[in-house]
Structure formats: C-alpha cells, structure tokens
Amino acid sequence: MLEKLLITGAAGALGKMIRPRLQKIAKSLRVSDLHEFALNGDHEELMIGDLVDTEFMNRLLQDCDGVVHLGGISIEQPFEPILQANVIGIHNLYQAAKKAGQPRILFASSNHAIGYHSVSERLDALSPIMPDGFYGVSKVFGEAMASMYFNKEGQETAIVRIGSCFPEPKDHRMLSTWFSPDDFISLIEMVFKVETLGCPIIYGASNNDEGWWDNSKTESLGWRPKDNAEEFRAKLDATIPKPAPDDIATLHQGGSFAAAPLMTK
Ligand code: NAI
Ligand code: 15L
C-alpha cells in the first residue's frame, strides 16, 4: 500500500471519478489542480498550483510514493496552451519526480497519440505514433519524456493511452474505445502493486468486442480488463444516429479529433 499518492488534475472528470476509489492503493491522497475544489475527506490533502510552476511542482512531488498524472489540457486546443500545460508541465513533473526520489508515475496519455490510424488497423505498443492534432502531439511528447527518463534515470512510468473513460459509451465509436471506470481502477491497482513496472505502453481500454488495441506486449504485468462496451450497443442504436461510414471521423481511430481542422492562428 502506498503512503501518499499524488493525483494531478484531481478536479477534472477522471480525477473526480477515481479519487473515491483509491483506498486499496494508498493511505492518503495529495490532490492538486489549478483552482480550489471540494475534498472528499481528511485523507485528501489539497495543493493548488500550476504544472508550469517549477517550484510548485517540486513541492507537489515531495513525500509522494506514487503519482497519477491526469493534469493538463485534455482536448484539442491551439498550440500555446498545450505547450504550457502538456509539454512544459510534463518536463516539470519528471524533474520534480527525480528530486523526490522517483515515485512511480501513471501518465494519462491518450488514444489521440495514434488517432490518425485507420479503424481497420489493430495496434499494439510498437505501432507507429500517428497523432491527430496538437493535443495528440503533446501526448507523444509526454510518452517520449517518460521513455527517456526510464532509460537514462530508471524512472518507472506506466504510459496509459486512454481510450474513452466515461461511465458508459456515449457514441458508436466508443464501442471500440470505451474504458470503464472499474477497468481503470484495476489498472491503477496493478501499476502501483506490480514488483517491476518498467515503462510500458498500455492501451487504456476495456475488453471491447470491437476494440482496436492489443495489449499482448504487456500481458506479463497481469492486468486484464473485464468490461465490454458491447452491452451498450442496443441502447446506443436506439438513442443516437449511426455515424456515416465515409466520414473522416468514422474512418480514423481518433474520431472527431482526426476530422477537426487544426487550430492555427
Ligand atoms: P479534464 O480536463 O476534466 O481534467 C484535467 C484537469 O487538469 C482539469 O481539472 C484542469 O484544471 C487541470 N489542468 C489543466 N491545466 C493545468 C495546469 N496548467 N496546471 C494544473 N492543472 C491543470 O480531463 P479528464 O477527462 O479528467 O482527463 C484526465 C487526463 O486523462 C488528461 O490528461 C487527459 O488528456 C487524459 N485522457 C482522458 C481521457 C478520457 O476519456 N477522459 C481519454 C484520454 C486521455
Ligand atoms: C481524450 O483524449 C479526451 O481527453 C477525452 O475527453 C475523450 O475525448 C477521449 O480522448 C476520446 O477519444 O474519446
């Protein structure tokens, strides 16, 4: 059991979802975000600050023996804000982790690091990167930072390319990309329990019949997702229109992110 697990981006959608469910993993949580937010109890310690603030990051990482890094821009945006939060922010995270004795990190990467692959492809951890926007590029940068810090410094990170982590799939694409909250929790448990982690790339997706991603390269870590988006198909068919088969969003794994025009000035 960890003593103190740091959750960055703790006020965001995933932070709110996982924080009440981490009792088996850590005795206490240090929770952080840009702005003040409500705590779930005395086991949560609040630290407000910006990922781009080096001194803040050094204080934030101190005395933590694990990190779930959710903080940052989580959708497509112009390059400048992404550069700050997701590029400079991740550099600060790794520098601070080094100073804090290298707590194990779970890095919330994204399927948008590979979003330009066709939906007809099945990808694994060695498939080429193919980001679908500045956001995806920043996640590729984060993955590269994790890999470099592992090879040079021995810092362990689970690079988790999250698909779509929501209580249930919201559209037909998510029949392939859905990552149930229960499966995310079981993945976090594995990451902080397994004796040797290394720096694996793991696709954060449930055991979906129509899944695109193959985690066989990291099978030895012992994580097996259990949920399957298929149980929601009938509900989706009944409530939302089926996507047009020749739409750019339908043809690419990144969906609407792949179809969106680049946000340049
Ligand atoms: P979110 O946008 O709800 O939460 C991100 C949090 O990071 C926000 O509360 C925001 O205030 C904070 N943040 C942004 N910039 C910051 C900065 N400069 N300093 C400190 N905090 C900052 O996103 P969500 O959905 O909770 O996702 C969490 C992480 O997981 C993100 O990194 C996202 O890229 C990744 N992810 C999420 C997926 C999903 O299905 N929800 C899918 C793929 C990746
Ligand atoms: C992401 O990376 C986003 O953070 C999330 O909001 C979803 O859009 C998800 O990908 C997705 O592809 O469904």
Side-chain angles (χ1 to χ4, degrees):
M1 162 100 62
L2 299 177
E3 289 296 325
K4 196 182 283 284
L5 175 63
L6 168 63
I7 315 288
T8 68
L14 291 191
K16 282 201 196 102
M17 201 160 71
I18 64 169
R19 278 163 46 211
R21 304 188 54 187
L22 297 173
Q23 306 88 325
K24 276 192 278 179
I25 299 167
K27 290 183 190 157
S28 67
L29 303 181
R30 179 171 288 163
V31 293
S32 180
D33 210 296
L34 276 173
H35 308 291
E36 195 132 343
F37 56 97
L39 297 182
N40 290 332
D42 289 344
H43 66 292
E44 289 194 339
E45 173 201 358
L46 180 65
M47 281 183 73
I48 298 297
D50 197 318
L51 296 166
V52 306
D53 177 344
T54 315
E55 288 316 311
F56 169 72
M57 290 302 284
N58 289 341
R59 278 184 280 117
L60 186 65
L61 272 280
Q62 239 165 46
D63 305 322
C64 293
D65 48 358
V67 181
V68 176
H69 182 55
L70 303 174
I73 306 281
S74 64
I75 50 170
E76 184 61 357
Q77 283 202 6
F79 183 62
E80 181 54 30
I82 287 184
L83 171 66
Q84 296 303 320
N86 293 14
V87 175
I88 295 174
I90 200 103
H91 177 243
N92 288 344
L93 176 80
Y94 278 89
Q95 292 267 68
K98 180 173 171 162
K99 292 194 173 87
Q102 301 187 325
R104 199 173 268 186
I105 296 173
L106 186 157
F107 167 49
S109 183
S110 170
N111 70 87
H112 297 290
I114 45 83
Y116 246 110
H117 281 280
S118 156
V119 295
S120 64
E121 290 172 81
R122 190 162 170 79
L123 308 183
D124 69 12
L126 297 180
S127 298
I129 54 158
M130 226 186 240
D132 56 24
F134 294 130
Y135 167 66
V137 169
S138 76
K139 292 298 186 181
V140 170
F141 179 85
E143 294 187 0
M145 189 67 87
S147 166
M148 188 275 284
Y149 264 93
F150 175 63
N151 291 317
K152 260 198 160 70
E153 307 273 340
Q155 165 73 56
E156 292 189 304
T157 300
I159 296 168
V160 183
R161 286 185 183 157
I162 301 174
S164 308
C165 191
F166 298 99
E168 52 182 79
K170 294 177 175 180
D171 57 27
H172 288 84
R173 170 177 170 268
M174 291 191 194
L175 292 170
S176 299
T177 61
W178 187 54
F179 190 24
S180 76
D182 283 356
D183 284 335
F184 189 23
I185 292 293
S186 74
L187 175 61
I188 298 171
E189 269 184 70
M190 179 282 286
V191 165
F192 292 106
K193 264 193 198 149
V194 74
E195 199 165 316
T196 304
L197 178 69
C199 190
I201 292 176
I202 303 167
Y203 288 91
S206 287
N207 186 28
N208 304 321
D209 285 2
E210 290 204 342
W212 298 317
W213 306 317
D214 167 7
N215 273 328
S216 56
K217 297 253 177 331
T218 53
E219 221 164 43
S220 62
L221 293 170
W223 175 67
R224 302 281 181 278
K226 294 194 168 58
D227 290 318
N228 189 334
E230 207 52 38
E231 65 174 292
F232 298 96
R233 181 185 290 277
K235 183 174 171 188
L236 287 171
D237 285 348
T239 52
I240 56 170
K242 284 215 175 105
D246 53 352
D247 205 313
I248 299 180
T250 317
L251 294 170
H252 296 91
Q253 298 194 0
S256 61
F257 284 56
L262 207 51
M263 288 192 187
T264 45
K265 283 179 199 148

